[in-house]
Amino acid sequence: MLDPDLPGVQIEATVKTTGQTGVEMEALTAVSIAALTVHDMVKAVDKGMIISDIRVRFERRRKIRTLRVKMISVDTALSQLFALASPLEIETVPLIAAVGRVLATDVSANRDQPPFASSAMDGYALNGAEADLHAQFKVIGESAAGHRFDGAIKPGQTVRIFTGARCPRAPPRWLSRKMSNAAAI
């Protein structure tokens, strides 16, 4: 039964069950989703709208009970949660024992890995001036993980490059494998 003295939007749902079927929780979830949907719709017009409290009224064995939950802000909830937690002591453990743990401080690498420019995808390295729509190239080599192409790429030539491989020296243009017509190359 809706309370005419309460301001704002009220949503009512009635569920009748026999025994403990679990339908009660499904109904409560549906009402909650409906309330949040209405809240979002109204909030689009009235930015100041809040959900101040939630009241659940239920009847069991002819006894009527009302449960009222007072809402708090997200900031208040977070501060209450953080007040319950305290930082753990920092400890040093072997790498094998570190699985599932969190680092106490940031870790940074002294060098890039790999320590060279590598290809992010399969493709071809070629001279940029020749990258016309229907251009054809002769594949003169390849660069794959573990072995690189050390030669120079001349006009009309290309080098096949695989993901993670060292990039050939100074090719002005890259063409991904997906963007090429591999049969014509």
Side-chain angles (χ1 to χ4, degrees), residues 48-147:
M49 181 182 175
I50 59 168
I51 298 177
S52 61
D53 63 5
I54 297 175
R55 296 176 192 186
V56 179
R57 182 177 174 269
F58 58 95
E59 180 179 341
R60 183 176 285 164
R61 296 187 188 112
R62 299 185 190 252
K63 291 183 183 178
I64 297 174
R65 299 180 191 175
T66 301
L67 171 66
R68 182 177 180 187
V69 179
K70 190 75 174 160
M71 301 298 287
I72 59 175
S73 70
V74 171
D75 289 338
T76 302
L78 286 174
S79 65
Q80 289 178 5
L81 282 172
F82 291 140
L84 298 172
S86 59
L88 298 172
E89 290 183 30
I90 296 174
E91 58 183 338
T92 303
V93 297
L95 186 59
I96 192 112
V99 175
R101 292 174 170 249
V102 178
L103 290 171
T105 58
D106 291 338
V107 175
S108 60
N110 294 332
R111 65 183 178 121
D112 292 337
Q113 187 60 25
F116 53 80
S118 64
S119 176
M121 64 184 79
D122 289 355
Y124 299 90
L126 51 105
N127 289 309
E130 300 179 312
D132 292 329
L133 181 60
H134 297 290
Q136 293 185 6
F137 300 91
K138 179 180 180 184
V139 178
I140 60 167
E142 65 182 29
S143 185
H147 72 279

Side-chain angles (χ1 to χ4, degrees), residues 3-24:
D3 187 343
D5 296 330
L6 289 176
V9 177
Q10 298 179 50
I11 298 174
E12 179 179 13
T14 303
V15 177
K16 293 182 181 181
T17 62
T18 55
Q20 293 182 343
T21 62
V23 173
E24 298 89 348

